[in-house]
Amino acid sequence: MRKMKAKSVFGCLGILAMATALTACSSSDDATGGNDGSGTSTSDAYVWSTDGGVKACDNILFTNGREDKNGTEIGNGDAEFVFKGKQTLKKGTYTLKGWVYIADGSELTIEPGTIIKGDKVTKAALIAERGGKLIARGTKTEPIVFTSAQPKNSRRPGDWGGVILCGKAQNNQQEMQIEGGPRTKHGGNDDADNSGVLSYVRIEFAGYPFATDKEINGLTLGSIGSGTQIDHVQVSYSNDDSFEWFGGTVNAKYLVAYKGWDDDFDTDNGYSGNVQFGLVIRDSRLADVSQSNGFESDNCADGSAVSPWTSATFSNITFVGPKLDASFQNKTDYINGGNYFPNNGSALGKFQSAMHIRRNSRLNCVNSFAVGYPIGIILDNEKGNTQGAATNGILKLQNIWLAGMDITGSDFNKVYKDELYDYATKTTNASAKSFSSTFFLEQPGNKVLDSWTTLVESNGYTPLANSPLLSAATYSTLSSWFVTANYIGAFGANDNWLSGWTNFDPQGTDY
């Protein structure tokens, strides 16, 4: 997450002249669509209206902007388009154009095996608003894929916008504007709110930069309630954070953040759900100017002591950092984007830590494993009292193993020294270890190792047959929601949950 928050870059659109002429047409509740010609409807006409000055329609499929219930374009191609209805997209390949909103009371269902390509020219994004539902329930053998519409071997981070879900659960700012530019707001008092399903889903090459430091994340979750199902989601080559939660209570399992630009799991504004089984893999030549981290966690932007607190609990996460590449150097002339530099105004920077917890966050992490970062952990006390929460046991970091870090801890953003930081003088004391590393080493089950080669295979995440990771887990501090596993990190000896639905070469895939 960047410091600046975006406002909409699109102005409101005019009312469609033919709106009133079609109001007698039927609802599209029974309509389906598919590129195999299987779509059916009780009427060929679309019902048009406006929503906040934006064109709205009861059907979501078009062909070159023309009404076509068997079309293959999602949205009419305008900068913003509101879908009002209930509709199922049949398995097929579609192009998403513009910012398409699923309005309050509306529901879009996507069949397994469907591929949706985000259009670069119209900066496409799919946004479920409060009260709207996106039901994308793929399967292990037929995942649903949101990807770039650019040709094979020419896809880049930020080719399109991304996927956003907004709900009615609590956040600590009450009602918030979603990050990245869309008009949509999120937040309420229904912590059990249901925004739909994302299961066996991939999101690739998202994060179009609408302005400097203003990108949509790969998957953005704004005040999403616990009634929503999130599992088996892979975000690859996002041009901002891979996953970001703003408040909410939603739980999630089996998440993959693959070669993102900024942070991998970003938690803000009182997110209090649970996450279990997650894998982070970094590209050594892709890092953000703000400094890239595995976790970045804030209670809120100014570190205020407001509730609900950012107090999510993560378990069984594996972070594979840039140092797995033997040639890695944490320098801007090395971190140049490589073959994935999009030349879209996004600024490259450096890698920082596996975990950066700051601004009064009370994030919890257990049974997790991180390899190959410049810094293991940063408990940053510049704003708020994150270190006090750690000392008082409100923030728990236990049973975490760090391997192959340059330093175990630092106390401040962009300070690559394991030395106690003085926030008043903005200097470090070379004679004392950082608060962060001292605290980390005092916690039960935590370990720091020089190398990962006796723990995991060369990919950084598959445990060796005799790895001590396989029997080091503990669940005594966790709720019954968490699955009890014997191992630290994302994978056990015979538990490869990546099989069948993930893709680690989206650049070379024919879609």
Side-chain angles (χ1 to χ4, degrees):
M1 178 188 69
R2 311 281 167 55
K3 292 182 179 179
M4 296 178 64
K5 302 295 179 184
K7 295 182 179 178
S8 177
V9 297
F10 297 128
C12 292
L13 303 176
I15 298 175
L16 186 67
M18 62 187 294
T20 57
L22 298 177
T23 54
C25 298
S26 67
S27 168
S28 65
D29 285 6
D30 299 324
T32 62
N35 63 1
D36 57 358
S38 61
T40 60
S41 175
T42 56
S43 171
D44 291 332
Y46 282 31
V47 176
W48 287 93
S49 60
T50 60
D51 187 312
V54 179
K55 291 178 184 177
C57 189
D58 69 338
N59 199 289
I60 206 166
L61 291 179
F62 295 80
T63 297
N64 296 324
R66 300 191 310 273
E67 298 179 8
D68 183 355
K69 293 186 177 181
N70 295 316
T72 61
E73 294 174 3
I74 300 171
N76 66 341
D78 285 353
E80 294 181 288
F81 170 85
V82 180
F83 168 62
K84 289 189 169 184
K86 292 185 179 180
Q87 191 165 349
T88 296
L89 296 185
K90 292 292 187 180
K91 176 183 175 182
T93 299
Y94 301 85
T95 301
L96 175 68
K97 291 193 170 184
W99 288 355
V100 175
Y101 300 98
I102 303 169
D104 183 9
S106 299
E107 190 173 293
L108 178 64
T109 301
I110 303 173
E111 289 192 344
T114 295
I115 297 167
I116 296 176
K117 299 180 179 182
D119 180 56
K120 188 171 185 176
V121 174
T122 58
K123 311 167 188 177
L126 184 62
I127 303 124
E129 302 201 283
R130 284 183 294 191
K133 290 184 180 179
L134 172 61
I135 301 175
R137 186 183 280 110
T139 68
K140 182 176 180 178
T141 56
E142 289 193 301
I144 293 167
V145 181
F146 295 87
T147 192
S148 167
Q150 296 300 105
K152 175 181 176 181
N153 295 323
S154 62
R155 300 164 188 147
R156 298 290 184 273
D159 276 349
W160 62 292
V163 177
I164 297 174
L165 302 184
C166 289
K168 300 177 182 179
Q170 295 183 78
N171 64 67
N172 58 30
Q173 304 295 304
Q174 298 183 359
E175 184 176 73
M176 299 182 66
Q177 186 83 25
I178 197 64
E179 182 181 63
R183 69 177 190 172
T184 309
K185 295 182 179 180
H186 61 95
N189 295 303
D190 183 4
D191 284 345
D193 188 35
N194 182 355
S195 295
V197 177
L198 290 180
S199 182
Y200 291 104
V201 168
R202 300 201 305 264
I203 301 169
E204 303 166 351
F205 302 104
Y208 189 96
F210 301 96
T212 302
D213 290 338
K214 296 179 183 179
E215 302 93 349
I216 295 174
N217 303 293
L219 176 60
T220 305
L221 300 167
S223 302
I224 299 302
S226 60
T228 308
Q229 178 183 342
I230 306 287
D231 66 83
H232 297 90
V233 178
Q234 178 180 15
V235 176
S236 301
Y237 293 104
S238 172
N239 205 172
D240 195 17
D241 300 328
S242 295
F243 296 83
E244 185 159 12
W245 293 261
F246 295 94
T249 56
V250 67
N251 302 314
K253 287 184 177 177
Y254 306 111
L255 306 182
V256 181
Y258 185 62
K259 298 192 174 183
W261 193 279
D262 195 6
D263 306 309
D264 300 293
F265 297 136
D266 195 335
T267 51
D268 304 279
N269 297 116
Y271 173 52
S272 60
N274 299 315
V275 178
Q276 188 176 23
F277 305 117
L279 174 63
V280 168
I281 298 177
R282 296 302 304 219
D283 185 313
S284 67
R285 294 187 183 272
L286 288 175
D288 189 69
V289 67
S290 66
Q291 315 286 289
S292 293
N293 306 281
F295 281 152
E296 182 177 87
S297 186
D298 305 342
N299 195 49
C300 57
D302 63 3
S304 295
V306 291
S307 64
W309 298 85
T310 298
S311 56
T313 298
F314 287 74
S315 182
N316 298 98
I317 311 298
T318 294
F319 301 88
V320 180
K323 292 182 65 182
L324 268 287
D325 185 337
S327 67
F328 172 70
Q329 300 175 53
N330 206 20
K331 300 178 180 179
T332 54
D333 56 350
Y334 176 89
I335 303 173
N336 58 16
N339 294 328
Y340 286 90
F341 183 65
N343 196 28
N344 61 12
S346 295
L348 290 157
K350 297 169 67 176
F351 282 94
Q352 187 164 248
S353 67
M355 303 179 188
H356 187 189
I357 305 173
R358 61 182 188 176
R359 298 176 181 172
N360 249 336
S361 172
R362 298 178 176 181
L363 189 77
N364 304 286
C365 184
V366 298
N367 297 329
S368 295
F369 175 55
V371 302
Y373 285 81
I375 304 170
I377 181 170
I378 303 173
L379 294 174
D380 187 334
N381 231 41
E382 181 192 17
K383 297 178 180 179
N385 192 18
T386 298
Q387 294 179 2
T391 300
N392 293 328
I394 302 171
L395 179 162
K396 293 183 174 65
L397 301 174
Q398 300 177 358
N399 234 35
I400 300 170
W401 292 20
L402 305 178
M405 306 293 166
D406 290 341
I407 61 173
T408 300
S410 169
D411 291 342
F412 194 53
N413 192 44
K414 302 182 182 179
V415 173
Y416 291 79
K417 297 178 182 179
D418 196 344
E419 300 174 1
L420 189 64
Y421 189 79
D422 187 318
Y423 291 90
T425 63
K426 297 185 178 180
T427 60
T428 60
N429 179 356
S431 65
K433 290 291 187 181
S434 67
F435 172 91
S436 301
S437 65
T438 301
F439 169 81
F440 181 83
L441 290 169
E442 289 174 346
Q443 303 313 298
N446 290 353
K447 289 189 178 182
V448 176
L449 303 99
D450 292 334
S451 173
W452 57 84
T453 57
T454 61
L455 304 175
V456 290
E457 295 181 5
S458 59
N459 60 22
Y461 61 86
T462 302
L464 295 170
N466 59 349
S467 175
L469 294 171
L470 293 172
S471 58
T474 179
Y475 289 84
S476 60
T477 63
L478 298 179
S479 73
S480 60
W481 178 87
F482 289 90
V483 174
T484 299
N486 294 326
Y487 49 86
I488 279 180
F491 305 100
N494 300 299
D495 184 20
N496 182 12
W497 47 264
L498 300 173
S499 178
W501 66 279
T502 57
N503 183 0
F504 295 101
D505 183 25
Q507 181 68 280
T509 301
D510 289 311
Y511 286 120

